[in-house]
Amino acid sequence: MIFDALKAEFFKLSRDRTLLFWCVLAPALAHIVVGVALELAVRGSVSGAASLARPNVALEAVLSVGAPANPFVAGFLAAAAAIVIAGEYRWTTWRLIAPRNDRAAILVGKYGALLALALASVALFAINGVVIAFLSAFVNAMPREAIAGGVASGLSGVALGALSALLHVAFVIGLVAVGAIATRSLLVSALVAAVGMIVLEGGVALIAQDNPGAARLLPVGAAGEVRQYARALAGDEDAEGAGGLGAMVIVQAAWAFSLFAISWLLVRRQEFPRE
Amino acid sequence: MSALALEGVAKTFRGKGAPTVALDDVSFTVPEGAVFGLLGPNGAGKSTMVRIVLGLVRATRGRVRIFDVADAPLRQVGALIETPAFYPHLTARETLEALALYSGVRDGERTEYLLARVGLSEAAHRRVRDFSVGMKQRLGLAAALVGRPRLVVLDEPTNGLDPAGILEMRSFIRSLAQTDGCTVVLSSHLLDEVERTCDHLAILDHGKLVAAGATQTLLAASDRLRIEVDRPADAARLLGPKAVIEGEAVWIEAQRAEAPGAIAMLTGEGFQVFEARWERARLEDIFFRLTGGAS
């Protein structure tokens, strides 16, 4: 049942080229264009390539791989989630699919397809980071051996950064799913996610001033800590995680899973008198 | 074996205002292989009942059995509910492929066969958002047949179809039973369509079941004897409360066996009987009598 739903959701998603372009490809393209332009602009404005910091390929990849978790890029993925989940209400298509498969399996299928989308986004941003780092090394005329961090040596940091970004996107998808199922509205579900992310970002910053421990229990705070660990693994000497890596990953996963569980309970109990 | 059985099904919607009773203790059986008509005026509860059968809405009370199994998997049920809705970005072919995947089947030949059967082969590559209502209705029918269902539930399938399309749909529905061996439940408020298409039917009114059974049996039970006689008013009085005068004749609601006695009584009292014949009731007459609508 779940496998069938996953295949169906992947199939539908793969046929929505507009969504794939705007929600995954466009942010990554914008990122690499801006990154390359900045690199070239900095090269043009600073005399003496040697005065520039040596690029750390692994660190660039770690920083880049976390981009899908920032509110701007996550907003595009939230829009994708809204279309995939709330779209069933907007187009009144629950009537087509609910008799064919278990609702919980369909929801899992939607999460799976969206997480695959998030994984593609994370991978594209990671590639961007590596490309920009190598470009930086090239335009700064650095010898190959002078590149401080090798990609291989920083793989664990990149993997940790990717995991953190994926868990954060899963949390955002959960926000959208709960909003979509509770309100049956595409627009409101996207707004719920946007407002939720803004409130959490601001809330974590405020709480962290007085009580950093409590801030780390919020999804945005935990994600920030995991990113610190990832940067440290990639050789960033200034980065220092707190709260314990395992605990922070568990906090992120628990938030994502809680929202999934809520959306699962909601959709199981829901009636479709119009959809 | 019954294809579908409703046992005391009730549904009450509780919203902001007073609770709305959509279905009230509805029980009936759809025999396997039948084309079963579900009739009722707007708001009678037909669509709610269809949605309960499909698991889209939960019954407040009662049980639905599909092929004698309660809470049966719905993969053996295909459905077209009111105006069909689809994913606007998918083509007709992709829509059927996606639905087949949800159902756990993937059969490219079946997809092409269904598209051809509903006359959409030429438009298979077109996005559904560009389809007319009639084309969507055809695609909805094809979608209902994905996965080779044994029971097909069609809710107002002729909505948006032109007269030719309605005729085509009618023969299509019959072919589902005769050629494909499906049991068909057809929910409609088009009396003529149901009378011509369905061998069994149920009539709902305000959420209650007011009649159910074989179409011919229901119609025969409502046959009326028309008697042309020289003094109709006196004849009607003599025959009692079952007799009414319509036009020049006396009409009696009676069983066939009662006819000779009624005629003998009239002739015995000196009435001149010019003609006596049975008039087959139309579904429309029965429907309006049971639902209290205007004829």
Side-chain angles (χ1 to χ4, degrees), chain B residues 30-178:
Chain B
V30 178
E32 192 173 5
V35 179
F36 189 94
L38 191 59
L39 278 170
N42 290 338
K46 302 188 298 292
S47 292
T48 301
M49 213 200 67
V50 167
R51 283 176 186 272
I52 287 174
V53 169
L54 294 173
L56 296 170
V57 169
R58 275 191 309 278
T60 311
R61 274 197 323 276
R63 197 160 49 173
V64 175
R65 288 177 182 272
I66 295 171
F67 295 106
D68 290 343
V69 179
D71 302 320
L74 290 165
R75 284 187 171 182
Q76 49 194 340
V77 183
L80 165 69
I81 302 179
E82 294 166 291
T83 307
F86 298 105
Y87 303 101
H89 64 276
L90 296 184
T91 65
R93 182 179 286 116
E94 288 167 351
T95 299
L96 297 186
E97 286 175 357
L99 296 179
L101 287 172
Y102 277 115
S103 303
V105 293
R106 184 127 200 212
D107 184 348
E109 281 182 20
R110 173 82 176 162
T111 300
E112 297 306 322
Y113 163 75
L114 289 174
L115 286 166
R117 190 162 174 194
V118 297
L120 285 177
S121 291
E122 299 289 312
H125 63 284
R126 281 175 55 191
R127 288 188 200 286
V128 176
R129 65 169 158 244
D130 300 326
F131 275 21
S132 67
V133 176
M135 290 169 82
K136 282 183 182 169
Q137 208 75 357
R138 286 163 187 270
L139 182 60
L141 207 51
L145 299 179
V146 166
R148 301 175 194 274
R150 293 168 66 198
L151 171 64
V152 179
V153 181
L154 305 173
D155 188 9
E156 307 289 1
T158 50
N159 273 359
L161 294 183
D162 55 22
I166 290 173
L167 278 178
E168 213 178 312
M169 180 68 82
R170 205 175 277 161
S171 70
F172 189 92
I173 291 168
R174 295 290 329 174
S175 79
L176 284 178
Q178 287 162 0

Side-chain angles (χ1 to χ4, degrees), chain A residues 1-9 11-13 15-18 83-84 87-88 91-103 106 110 267-275, chain B residues 11 13 51 54-59 73-75 77-79 81-90 93-95 97-106 127 143-147:
Chain A
M1 286 272 204
I2 289 177
F3 193 55
D4 295 335
L6 261 172
K7 282 196 289 187
E9 292 296 337
F11 178 81
K12 274 162 54 184
L13 207 52
R15 297 300 188 274
D16 196 343
R17 293 184 196 93
T18 309
I83 291 166
V84 168
E88 303 289 356
W91 301 315
T92 64
T93 40
W94 271 114
R95 66 177 77 167
L96 279 180
I97 59 174
R100 296 173 194 277
N101 208 314
D102 180 63
R103 292 180 191 193
I106 292 172
K110 290 186 182 299
V267 85
R268 274 193 67 201
R269 292 174 51 82
Q270 197 164 41
E271 297 199 296
F272 301 121
R274 289 187 308 275
E275 292 86 1
Chain B
K11 177 64 188 176
F13 286 106
R51 283 176 186 272
L54 294 173
L56 296 170
V57 169
R58 275 191 309 278
L74 290 165
R75 284 187 171 182
V77 183
I81 302 179
E82 294 166 291
T83 307
F86 298 105
Y87 303 101
H89 64 276
L90 296 184
R93 182 179 286 116
E94 288 167 351
T95 299
E97 286 175 357
L99 296 179
L101 287 172
Y102 277 115
S103 303
V105 293
R106 184 127 200 212
R127 288 188 200 286
L145 299 179
V146 166

Side-chain angles (χ1 to χ4, degrees), chain A residues 135-273:
Chain A
L135 180 73
S136 176
F138 176 74
V139 297
N140 287 307
M142 289 181 181
R144 195 177 297 169
E145 59 274 15
I147 297 172
V151 176
S153 65
L155 268 184
S156 53
V158 174
L160 188 59
L163 175 67
S164 173
L166 275 177
L167 286 172
H168 190 71
V169 173
F171 166 75
V172 173
I173 293 169
L175 272 181
V176 174
V178 170
I181 297 164
T183 68
R184 302 172 189 245
S185 162
L186 200 152
L187 186 64
V188 175
S189 61
L191 277 175
V192 164
V195 171
M197 283 191 290
I198 290 165
V199 167
L200 278 170
E201 290 280 346
V204 164
L206 276 175
I207 294 169
Q209 288 174 357
D210 299 326
N211 192 347
R216 285 197 289 270
L217 292 177
L218 293 172
V220 175
E225 294 301 332
V226 178
R227 276 200 299 275
Q228 289 289 319
Y229 282 108
R231 287 170 61 172
L233 280 172
D236 185 349
E237 290 165 5
D238 299 330
E240 191 179 356
L245 174 60
M248 291 298 97
V249 171
I250 287 170
V251 168
Q252 274 202 278
W255 274 98
F257 183 78
S258 301
L259 287 176
F260 167 73
I262 293 169
S263 59
W264 182 75
L265 284 172
L266 286 174
V267 85
R268 274 193 67 201
R269 292 174 51 82
Q270 197 164 41
E271 297 199 296
F272 301 121

